[in-house]
Amino acid sequence: MPAPSLETLVSLCKRRGFVFPGSEIYGGLSNSWDYGPAGTALKNALRDWWWERFVTKRQDMVGIDAAILMNPRVWEASGHVANFNDAMVDCRACKARHRADHLIATVDPEQQVEGKTLEELTAIIEKNKIPCPRCGAKGQFTDARTFNLLFQTHLGAIESKEEQRSVYLRGEIAQAMFVNFKNVLNTTRMRLPFGIASVGKAFRNEITPGNFIFRTLEFDLMEFEYFIREPAWQDMFDFWLQEQQIWLGEIGFAPDRLRVREHTQEELSHYSKRTADIEYATPFGWKELFGLAYRTDFDLKNHMEQSGTDLQYTDPDTGEKLIPHAIEPTFGLSRLMLMVLLEAFDEEQIEGENRTVLHLHPRIAPVQAAVLPLSKKEHLVAKAQEIYKQLQDTTGLRLDFDVTGSIGKRYRRQDEIGTPQCVTVDFGTLGEDDAQGVQDTVTIRDRDTLTQERVSVQELAQRCQRHSPQSQS
Ligand code: GAP
């Protein structure tokens, strides 16, 4: 099935507790979103799977968890203060601010804008008489100017801004891996090649955020710096590009909805010698999901020069000293969550009724098994609670217990959050109705095939666990 419209997905996310508009009761705050109970479970499950697959299960990887606020000199040395810019224009009529490249793409998506000067961007906008996407005014744009994406804030309990110290919220989580390179070397026995991984929030003053959680001002990132000797960079680049795609396949992405796009020379970030994006076919076009960059020795070298700290690696066998190069696979977690939901979404007709279902991988489903007593009869609910407790104690799965509404309605609710299996406890389970089943058996309903199978309570835990493997991290 083609991906749903964004409106359909946003509505499902709100209805089922994946994503809520931020600060909603105060009228919201543009482009800020809160993750609800289902969304948090899904995001955490993706994060834990990533950590297990790329960190815990690899001998050549270690993880850190660094501060969001860093010494501003980090961002000077990394080149972000000078280079982390987008070109923007303001509409004089309605005061809306737009990214110049996004504006140009509204009339000519094929137009090459990378590497164009501010004057050239201004000329393209004027020549095409591009209207303001917000108010429709033509010929009202200011000249293009650069706009730094780093998010500034102030340190210190002093009222006047002038006396406070300006710092930046981290624009990428990568810098902590470079800044802590020596600390990690000194406290572990890592040898080249090896990686340092991290997960956390990054912040960017995006000029035109939007498309739900696709581009926001704060977002979750998972990334690692894989340190190598320079000659290995092409092989390592290919290896990690493949690994990123393999993981997407494991999550359940169809290969024809993914593609790899190499950055042109003009498009490369200031730190990169080669970058490739893995893009996904969203309802709003092919868009970057993950990225992969060869950052050379740019970061370690600059931090070494600017901080005066020796960040070289010493080969333990030969004593050779060198500055390692870095390959950086980066995985936007918020974006991954959006694209997982788009990929999993399905609408179908079952016996004349519409069914909305998320075909999520059982490992990341917010609820992995729901226990549903067929009716609200007290002794049936008590038996179902007993079975729920048994599953909770023996499986470690994310469970739900739902007694509200007809069984059909409850199945639909679970389908909409992607619950792979529903366990129905009925009067057969109690030995009170032979037609429903043998005593101490329950029905397992499969989300995808809709088959219903009678299994004994004794083997239930094993069955559920086999169906929904747990993260071991
Ligand atoms: N350390 C490299 C780095 O941060 P990036 O391509 O600027 O590279 C990494 O960002 C990933 O973060 C992207 O591939 C994308 O998945 C995600 N991302 C970037 N900007 C974002 C935003 N404003 N909102 C949500 N996700 C974003």
Side-chain angles (χ1 to χ4, degrees), residues 134-172:
R134 195 215 237 171
C135 71
K138 286 187 181 168
Q140 289 297 318
F141 289 121
T142 58
D143 288 352
R145 287 174 290 154
T146 51
F147 182 82
N148 192 272
L149 297 182
L150 285 175
F151 223 111
Q152 254 194 2
T153 186
H154 305 277
L155 276 193
I158 304 160
E159 226 171 90
S160 115
K161 283 241 169 72
E162 291 69 47
E163 288 179 65
Q164 292 174 336
R165 191 164 172 224
S166 276
V167 290
Y168 303 106
L169 303 181
R170 61 185 178 190
E172 59 169 2

Side-chain angles (χ1 to χ4, degrees), residues 298-466:
F298 177 88
D299 299 88
L300 283 181
K301 211 158 113 196
N302 280 338
H303 285 306
M304 207 164 131
E305 280 168 18
Q306 302 278 327
S307 69
T309 307
D310 183 4
L311 296 176
Q312 291 180 96
Y313 171 85
T314 308
D315 187 298
D317 297 325
T318 63
E320 178 202 1
K321 280 181 175 288
L322 66 136
I323 303 177
H325 283 226
I327 301 283
E328 177 192 69
T330 180
F331 307 69
L333 176 55
S334 325
R335 223 172 250 195
L336 175 61
M337 179 165 147
L338 170 65
M339 297 187 187
V340 159
L341 288 169
L342 287 169
E343 185 70 6
F345 186 95
D346 201 1
E347 264 171 348
E348 51 190 29
Q349 283 267 317
I350 305 287
E351 291 162 9
E353 267 190 47
N354 278 341
R355 170 172 102 123
T356 299
V357 56
L358 294 182
H359 296 289
L360 291 171
H361 189 292
R363 185 169 174 161
I364 54 174
V367 171
Q368 294 171 300
V371 178
L372 315 174
L374 190 63
S375 90
K376 280 186 174 166
K377 285 257 162 45
E378 217 172 289
H379 67 310
L380 188 67
V381 173
K383 179 69 182 171
Q385 282 285 13
E386 198 184 289
I387 291 171
Y388 175 90
K389 176 91 176 45
Q390 181 194 325
L391 281 179
Q392 196 177 49
D393 290 346
T394 52
T395 64
L397 294 174
R398 290 182 293 276
L399 301 173
D400 192 10
F401 187 88
D402 189 1
V403 75
T404 323
S406 72
I407 192 72
K409 272 211 177 110
R410 281 182 276 162
Y411 283 151
R412 297 286 173 271
R413 252 197 319 260
Q414 295 297 336
D415 287 342
E416 287 201 346
I417 58 166
T419 306
Q421 39 196 358
C422 287
V423 176
T424 312
V425 180
D426 54 32
F427 294 99
T429 316
L430 297 169
E432 293 177 5
D433 184 348
D434 292 346
Q436 281 186 328
V438 183
Q439 185 166 8
D440 281 327
T441 61
V442 291
T443 300
I444 298 190
R445 172 191 179 267
D446 185 279
R447 174 196 70 197
D448 299 331
T449 61
L450 294 176
T451 50
Q452 302 209 8
E453 202 188 333
R454 204 74 196 173
V455 301
S456 75
V457 171
Q458 214 182 4
E459 64 173 316
L460 182 63
Q462 210 186 6
R463 280 290 302 269
C464 290
Q465 216 157 19
R466 206 167 54 224

Side-chain angles (χ1 to χ4, degrees), residues 108-318:
D108 183 2
E110 302 306 317
Q111 170 81 53
Q112 272 293 313
V113 287
E114 290 87 21
K116 293 259 187 285
T117 62
L118 293 173
E119 290 72 26
E120 286 167 334
L121 292 171
T122 305
I124 297 172
I125 292 168
E126 278 172 9
K127 186 171 142 238
N128 287 286
K129 299 190 171 44
I130 301 177
C132 171
R134 195 215 237 171
C135 71
K138 286 187 181 168
Q140 289 297 318
F141 289 121
T142 58
D143 288 352
R145 287 174 290 154
T146 51
F147 182 82
N148 192 272
L149 297 182
L150 285 175
F151 223 111
Q152 254 194 2
T153 186
H154 305 277
L155 276 193
I158 304 160
E159 226 171 90
S160 115
K161 283 241 169 72
E162 291 69 47
E163 288 179 65
Q164 292 174 336
R165 191 164 172 224
S166 276
V167 290
Y168 303 106
L169 303 181
R170 61 185 178 190
E172 59 169 2
I173 58 177
Q175 289 309 316
M177 274 87 94
F178 296 117
V179 169
N180 281 296
F181 180 72
K182 202 82 192 172
N183 285 334
V184 171
L185 276 185
N186 289 343
T187 51
T188 63
R189 294 169 309 286
M190 302 311 280
R191 286 176 165 218
L192 289 180
F194 73 93
I196 307 179
S198 196
V199 168
K201 292 265 187 205
F203 301 81
R204 290 181 193 174
N205 235 337
E206 297 280 4
I207 300 162
T208 44
N211 287 325
F212 194 28
I213 52 171
F214 175 76
R215 182 173 284 108
T216 46
L217 305 181
E218 62 174 287
F219 54 96
D220 295 275
L221 257 183
M222 314 183 285
E223 61 187 14
F224 49 87
E225 302 305 322
Y226 198 73
F227 296 102
I228 54 169
R229 287 170 189 270
E230 184 179 1
W233 83 263
Q234 302 207 39
D235 287 346
M236 281 299 161
F237 194 96
D238 293 344
F239 172 78
W240 285 116
L241 187 56
Q242 214 182 0
E243 277 294 288
Q244 288 185 299
Q245 292 171 88
I246 293 172
W247 189 47
L248 286 171
E250 289 166 5
I251 295 173
F253 281 92
D256 61 342
R257 282 214 260 256
L258 294 170
R259 73 176 187 194
V260 174
R261 190 181 70 80
E262 289 278 342
H263 280 209
T264 59
Q265 283 303 309
E266 294 75 30
E267 205 182 343
L268 289 174
S269 307
H270 61 277
Y271 51 71
S272 179
K273 189 161 168 183
R274 180 183 171 193
T275 294
D277 288 345
I278 299 179
E279 297 185 332
Y280 178 73
T282 71
F284 42 96
W286 284 98
K287 294 288 171 195
E288 175 187 352
L289 168 54
F290 295 160
L292 177 68
Y294 169 39
R295 293 181 80 128
T296 69
D297 57 357
F298 177 88
D299 299 88
L300 283 181
K301 211 158 113 196
N302 280 338
H303 285 306
M304 207 164 131
E305 280 168 18
Q306 302 278 327
S307 69
T309 307
D310 183 4
L311 296 176
Q312 291 180 96
Y313 171 85
T314 308
D315 187 298
D317 297 325
T318 63

